[in-house]
Amino acid sequence: MVFKISPLTPQNIQELSPLSGVRIATAKAGIKYKDRTDLLFMVFDKPVSVAGVFTRSKCPSAPVEHCRASLPHGVARGVVVNSGNANAFTGRKGKNTTNEIVFAAANTLKVRENEIFIASTGVIGEPMDASGIVSLLPSMAETAEKGNWLEAAKAIMTTDTFPKLATRTFDCGGENVTIHGIAKGAGMIAPDMATMLSFVISDATISSDMLQSMLSEAVQGSFNSITVDSDTSTSDTLMLFATGKEHFPCITSQSDSRYSVFVKQLGALLHELALQVVCDGEGARHLIEVNVTGATTDNAAKTIALSIANSPLVKTAIAGEDANWGRVVMAVGKAGVEVDRDLLTIWFGEHCVAVNGERDPTYCEETIGAYMQGKHITIRVDIGLGAGEATVWSCDLTKEYVMINSDYRN
Amino acid sequence: MVFKISPLTPQNIQELSPLSGVRIATAKAGIKYKDRTDLLFMVFDKPVSVAGVFTRSKCPSAPVEHCRASLPHGVARGVVVNSGNANAFTGRKGKNTTNEIVFAAANTLKVRENEIFIASTGVIGEPMDASGIVSLLPSMAETAEKGNWLEAAKAIMTTDTFPKLATRTFDCGGENVTIHGIAKGAGMIAPDMATMLSFVISDATISSDMLQSMLSEAVQGSFNSITVDSDTSTSDTLMLFATGKEHFPCITSQSDSRYSVFVKQLGALLHELALQVVCDGEGARHLIEVNVTGATTDNAAKTIALSIANSPLVKTAIAGEDANWGRVVMAVGKAGVEVDRDLLTIWFGEHCVAVNGERDPTYCEETIGAYMQGKHITIRVDIGLGAGEATVWSCDLTKEYVMINSDYRN
C-alpha cells in the first residue's frame, strides 16, 4: 500500500548537525519492507546518561521490558531499533529474539547488555527472526557516522509519511548545548506515553537521574498530551540520552540553574516532535488543538479535552470541515466530570459558536465554514466553573485512516 | 445523502399486532427530512404505568430533562417523539420548545403535562420550532390507531437504515402477556444508557416502581452492553410502559413470581433491539461480539471487553476482515485493569489464535481468513486470572462511518 504524504507535513525537513559522542548507521534488514531501511544502530563511543518513559500497557513488548529493566543501571552505549515488526506478544520466542539482538550489539561494542537499548515497531504478534538483524550489527558499528539523523528518522518509520526530526541549540549556563530528536508515530497513538518511538540526544552533561526527572517533566505537555486514535501501543518508547561535553560541569541537581533552562528547551523540542506525530496520524488531514479552560481542576480539564479529542464524531466532523459544535457538547457531556451545560462557551478558532447553553446569536455559517477549511483547527471550550485548564492535540478521522488500518497486515 | 441498507439487516421486519391500551399516529412535520414521517404520537387512552432510563451525559437535552422530572409522578398518557432535530443544547429556546409541545399534547388529550413524555433525536444545537409539531397533534390524536408499530419505528429513524422492532408473547402467571418494542440508533451509541431512543410497551399490569426496577435490571445485559462509537448521546432515552389488562392482577412486588418471568422476557426483547441498533451502527458491515472470561471481576471483564469493542484499530481490522489479534492484545493492555500478558488466550470464533503470550502453534491464516468473512465475528479473550466475565456487542469501523459522519449537518 502506498500512502499519500500528509498535507500537514512540515515545509522543511532537514538533516541535523553531527552531535559529539554519537554515531549512527542504518541498514536494510528486510524484516517486512522491501527497498527501504528498517534498522537503526546508534553507537555511543563513551558511556552516556540515559532516561526513558514507556507504554503503560499491561501487555508491553519484549523490547520495552528489556529497556525498563536496564534503565536503573543508568548507562547507555548503544541503541538498536527496527521497524516492520513490533516483536510484541511473541512469547518466549520474542524474548529470545530481543536477547539475541541485545547480546550481539553488546558483543559488537564490547559493552554490557544492560547498556544496550532496543525498540521494535510494526506488526504485533508475528514472530521476529533475530538473525537478519544480528548479522548486520558489526558492519553497522564500523560504518556508523556522526550525523545521519535524517536516515535514522527514516529507518524507524512504519506508516509514517514523513520522517520526524527536531532540534534545539541554546545557551545553558554560558555553554552552547544542542538537543536532537527523532520520532515515529502514525497509529496506535494515545496519551500515557504517547508516541510509539522517539529518541532524543543532547551533548550536555547530565546525570541519569536528573535526565529522568527532566524527561518525566517535559513529556507531560508533549507526548502525554496527544492522541491520534486513543489506542495505546504495546511498544511506546521515548528515550533521552546525554553524551556529555567538555567544559560543561555535570547537572546533578534540580537546584542547578541550568536544570530549568534545559527542561524548557527539551519540552519545546518534545512538543514539536509530538505535533509532528499528530500531523502524520494515519489519514490525518487536519491538526486539532483542543483547549479547555474553566474546569474545576486541571485533571478535569484534561479529561474533557481528551473526550473531545478522541470522539469519533468530533473527529469525523473536522474531517468533513463541518463546524459541528453540537458534537463538542456531546463529548463534554460524556466526559463524566463536573460541567454545567448552560455555562459552556465554545469557540472554533476565534469564532464563538455557542454560549449560555445555546448557539451564539452572532453565529455565521459562512464565516465558520471558511475557518473549518484551514489545516489547523482550534476548539476552545470554557467550562465556566473554575481555573482548571489543559490543551491536547489530535487529528481528524478520515476514510484514509480506515483504509490504512483495514488491511495493515497484508 | 442516501445510505446503503446495512448488510446486517434482519431478514424479516414485520408489523406487530395491535396492543390494547395504546394508539399510534405518525406524520410528516418537515423538521429536517422531506418526504418521510418524522413525528410519532403514542396515545394511552387510560393512565398507564411508566419507567425510564436516560443518558448519563452531563449535558442532557431539554426533552430528557422533562422526562426525568415527570417520571416520579408514575403515570403516562402520551408520548411525542420527533426525528431530525435533537433539541439539545438549544438553551432557553429549547426548553420553551419542549414545554410548548408538552403543553399542546396534554391539552389535546386533556391530561396533566407530567403525563406526557417527549423525545427528540437528530442534530444537536439547532434551534427547533415547535409550531409544526404542535399544529399536527390534535388530528394525530384523533386518527391514532391500534397497531401502526412499523410506522412508529420508521418515524423515529435518523441515519438508521432499517426500522427496529421486537416483540415477545409469553405466559405470565397463567395469562398471555405481550411486550412490543421499537428503537432507533445508528450513531452516538455507547453504554451507560446506550441507544438514542427506544419505547417498549406491554399490556401487562405492573406498578410504575416495579416497572422501573424491571427496566433497570433488564438494561444491563442489553442497551448497556453495546457500543457503536463510544460516543454518548445527549438524548438517550429508553422508556417502558405497561397499559394493564383485565384478569391480570397488578405486579407490585419483586416477590411476585411473575416479576422474574417478565424481566426475563423483557431482557430478551431489549437484547434483540440493542443488537439491531448495533447491526445498524453507522457504516456497520460486521457485528462484533466480545466475550471476556477469567478476569479478576465482572467489572474488570466489562472494562476489557469495552476497550476491545471501542478500539478503532480492532474495529478497522474487522472491517478489513483481517484477523489482527495483535490489536486485541493491545486493547487488553490499554484497558488498565489487571492482566498477565502470558496468561492470555484469544479466539476468533472457535479458532484459538493466541495462547501463552504468543500466536497459537496451530494458527492457520486460511482458516481464520475464511472465518473473518462472516458477518458475525466473535472475539473471545480469557484472561486466566479469575472468574469475572462480560459480553458486549459492537460493529466494525468502516469508510462509510466516516463518510456518513463527515457531513451529517448538510
Side-chain angles (χ1 to χ4, degrees), chain A residues 60 93 231 334 341 358, chain B residues 60 93 231 334 341 358:
Chain A
K93 288 191 210 84
D231 274 343
K334 79 163 179 167
R341 184 188 64 197
E358 64 185 298
Chain B
K93 287 192 211 82
D231 275 343
K334 79 163 180 168
R341 184 188 63 197
E358 64 185 297

Side-chain angles (χ1 to χ4, degrees), chain B residues 15-335:
Chain B
E15 180 59 282
L16 307 180
S17 60
L19 198 71
S20 71
V22 54
R23 293 185 298 120
I24 288 171
T26 60
K28 297 176 187 174
I31 296 160
K32 176 188 174 190
Y33 306 109
K34 309 278 171 216
D35 303 322
R36 57 156 277 195
T37 57
D38 54 5
L39 186 61
L40 163 66
F41 196 9
M42 210 179 264
V43 177
F44 304 111
D45 286 320
K46 292 182 185 166
V48 306
S49 303
V50 54
V53 286
F54 303 95
T55 181
R56 287 190 195 152
S57 171
K58 304 284 185 181
C59 299
S61 67
V64 164
E65 290 188 328
H66 169 81
C67 290
R68 263 210 191 100
S70 304
L71 212 51
H73 178 51
V75 174
R77 295 297 302 270
V79 182
V80 182
V81 187
N82 73 274
S83 56
N85 190 317
N87 191 19
F89 210 70
T90 39
R92 184 186 302 275
K93 287 192 211 82
K95 208 170 165 52
N96 289 346
T97 296
T98 296
N99 290 346
E100 282 175 53
I101 297 169
V102 167
F103 179 80
N107 216 28
T108 299
L109 302 182
K110 301 191 175 26
V111 301
R112 294 173 57 171
E113 289 172 58
N114 60 3
E115 294 166 357
I116 300 295
F117 291 84
I118 178 168
S120 300
T121 176
V123 176
I124 299 174
E126 293 285 331
M128 183 169 102
D129 184 32
S131 60
I133 295 175
V134 162
S135 63
L136 287 167
L137 294 177
S139 62
M140 290 174 82
E142 256 180 50
T143 58
E145 290 178 7
K146 288 181 181 168
N148 268 345
W149 294 96
L150 188 54
E151 284 307 313
K154 286 180 180 170
I156 65 174
M157 286 165 63
T158 53
T159 53
D160 304 67
T161 71
F162 62 84
K164 296 165 186 66
L165 305 96
T167 182
R168 291 288 183 284
T169 298
F170 53 99
D171 180 273
C172 192
E175 275 289 318
N176 248 7
V177 159
T178 296
I179 316 178
H180 285 348
I182 61 171
K184 62 84 53 187
M188 229 179 251
I189 304 288
D192 289 347
M193 219 11 265
T195 192
M196 300 190 70
L197 303 180
S198 180
F199 304 93
V200 180
I201 299 99
S202 173
D203 57 3
T205 317
I206 305 171
S207 69
S208 288
D209 58 338
M210 283 304 103
L211 213 55
Q212 185 66 44
S213 136
M214 287 166 163
L215 183 61
S216 302
E217 200 173 324
V219 79
Q220 293 310 328
S222 56
F223 283 113
N224 276 356
S225 293
I226 64 169
T227 179
V228 165
D229 53 16
S230 78
D231 275 343
T232 305
S233 163
T234 53
S235 308
D236 294 332
T237 298
L238 164 59
M239 301 201 72
L240 172 62
F241 305 90
T243 59
K245 61 193 293 181
E246 285 181 29
H247 314 299
F248 192 90
C250 188
I251 300 176
T252 57
S253 149
Q254 294 195 15
S255 56
D256 187 321
S257 65
R258 296 170 303 167
Y259 181 98
S260 57
V261 174
F262 192 92
V263 166
K264 193 178 162 196
Q265 296 285 339
L266 176 66
L269 178 136
L270 292 182
H271 186 75
E272 187 181 332
L273 281 177
L275 283 204
Q276 287 185 42
V277 167
V278 173
C279 284
D280 202 13
E282 286 168 339
R285 296 292 173 264
H286 296 84
L287 171 65
I288 308 173
E289 178 171 340
V290 180
N291 174 231
V292 173
T293 56
T296 51
T297 65
D298 286 352
N299 275 344
K302 191 157 182 181
T303 301
I304 295 166
L306 283 173
S307 179
I308 298 168
N310 278 324
S311 159
L313 288 169
V314 171
K315 288 156 69 85
T316 48
I318 305 289
E321 303 186 342
D322 175 14
N324 196 323
W325 56 269
R327 295 184 180 170
V328 176
V329 175
M330 175 282 299
V332 172
K334 79 163 180 168

